[in-house]
Amino acid sequence: MAAGEVIVIPCLSDNYTYLVRCHRSEVTAIVDPGEAGPVIAALEERDWNLDLVINTHHHHDHIGGNAELIEKYGAKLLGPTAETARIPNMDETCAEGDQVLIGDLEGRVFDVPGHTSGHIAFYFPAITALFSGDSLFALGCGRLFEGTPEQMWHSLQKFRDLPPSTQVYCGHEYTQSNAKFAKTIEPDNAILIARCQDIDGLRARNLPTIPSRLDVELATNPFLRADEQSVAAALGMSGESPVAIFTEIRKRKDNF
C-alpha cells in the first residue's frame, strides 16, 4: 500500500488545491486552498476530516479558503516564516531546512523567493510529490511580483536534484498557454513538441495537465533550461550567463 495519496482539486477559475492523505495515520492536509467549497465537497465525499492547512505564499487565490476550513474542521495552519505578517493566524511557520509532517509523511521545505519574497515549496519523498505553488509551473514559472530574475533562477535550481520521477503539483492550470510560449523558445525540441500534443489532448477533454514529472520539466520547460546551450543559441545569446538568459525568457513570457 502506498504511504499516501494526493488528490487534485480544481478551484476558482484556474487554480488547483491539493488534498494530501497519510494512509497509516489518516492525517489529511490541504495545500493552498483558494476557496473552501471544493475542498469541503472532496472531504465529505470521502468522509475525511481535515487536520492541516498548508500555504506556500500569501496570495489570496492560495489562502482564500483558510478561514472557513479552519473554522469547520479545527485544522492547524502552517505557512512560510517569511510571510508571517501576511498570512493571518498561522499556528506554525517553516523555512528552508525545516521538516513538516502530515502524519508519517515527512516534507522538506525550500525557500523559493521570486514570485513573492517569502514563497516556500514542499517536497514529500514518500509520495514523490513537490508542491511548488507559484514558483515552478508545468512548462513555466511564476511572475516576478516581488523578486528578481536571479532569485527565481536560483530558486528553481533547488528542484533539479530531486528524483526524476517527482510529481510536480503547481498552483495553476496554465500549461497549455505555457506550452505555446515554450515552442517559441525551442521550436525544434522533439520532447516539447510531443508534450504539447499530449497537453492539447488533455485540455480538449477538460482534464488537468497536473501533476507533471520533473524529468519532463527539465527536458521541456524553458525556465529550467536557461543554462542549456541550445536555448542560448535559439535566443541569439550564446555565451551569456544563465541568469541573463532566464531574464530574457521571463521578459518574453510577460509580453507573450
Side-chain angles (χ1 to χ4, degrees), residues 50 103 117 231:
L50 182 67
S117 59
V231 174

Side-chain angles (χ1 to χ4, degrees), residues 10-256:
C11 65
L12 301 173
S13 62
D14 56 25
N15 279 73
Y16 289 121
T17 183
Y18 302 105
L19 274 179
V20 186
R21 174 85 162 179
C22 172
H23 286 316
R24 194 198 69 79
S25 66
E26 299 185 344
V27 171
T28 304
I30 190 73
V31 180
D32 284 350
E35 59 178 335
V39 180
I40 293 169
L43 289 165
E44 290 182 347
E45 178 184 347
R46 294 163 176 81
D47 196 27
W48 290 352
N49 188 46
L50 182 67
D51 303 286
L52 183 64
V53 177
I54 297 175
N55 293 152
T56 61
H57 65 293
H58 72 275
H59 286 161
H60 186 73
D61 62 331
H62 291 253
I63 71 169
N66 284 6
E68 185 176 347
L69 292 169
I70 290 165
E71 181 178 4
K72 181 173 178 65
Y73 295 101
K76 299 295 185 181
L77 177 59
L78 169 71
T81 302
E83 299 202 351
T84 299
R86 306 168 91 176
I87 300 176
N89 303 316
M90 286 194 287
D91 297 290
E92 185 179 351
T93 68
C94 57
E96 181 142 337
D98 292 337
Q99 285 195 326
V100 300
L101 293 175
I102 302 174
D104 297 336
L105 303 177
E106 295 184 359
R108 175 183 171 191
V109 181
F110 297 91
D111 286 336
V112 285
H115 183 66
T116 71
S117 59
H119 200 302
I120 57 176
F122 301 88
Y123 171 65
F124 288 85
I127 52 174
T128 60
L130 172 66
F131 298 97
S132 58
D134 287 357
S135 57
L136 176 64
F137 289 132
L139 283 171
C141 77
R143 286 182 178 267
L144 304 182
F145 290 125
E146 297 177 8
T148 66
E150 183 174 19
Q151 281 181 311
M152 183 63 100
W153 171 247
H154 288 301
S155 291
L156 296 179
Q157 300 321 293
K158 295 180 179 182
F159 303 144
R160 296 177 83 159
D161 291 333
L162 296 176
S165 61
T166 296
Q167 302 294 298
V168 180
Y169 295 91
C170 63
H172 291 269
E173 183 58 72
Y174 290 163
T175 315
Q176 193 168 40
S177 174
N178 288 343
K180 291 175 182 177
F181 172 74
K183 285 195 293 186
T184 71
I185 304 297
E186 289 193 279
D188 299 323
N189 183 327
I191 301 173
L192 174 61
I193 292 167
R195 186 179 182 190
C196 290
Q197 293 172 343
D198 292 341
I199 289 163
D200 288 343
L202 289 169
R203 296 310 295 155
R205 302 192 303 277
N206 199 33
L207 295 174
T209 62
I210 308 302
S212 63
R213 276 178 58 113
L214 182 60
D215 55 355
V216 177
E217 292 301 323
L218 291 170
T220 58
N221 186 330
F223 294 98
L224 291 174
R225 293 173 57 76
D227 55 352
E228 293 286 339
Q229 291 301 314
S230 59
V231 174
L235 295 173
M237 297 180 68
S238 294
E240 297 282 349
S241 71
V243 170
I245 294 166
F246 178 90
T247 301
E248 176 64 19
I249 296 170
R250 186 63 258 177
K251 178 182 175 182
R252 293 188 184 198
K253 182 61 169 68
D254 289 342
N255 295 302
F256 182 68

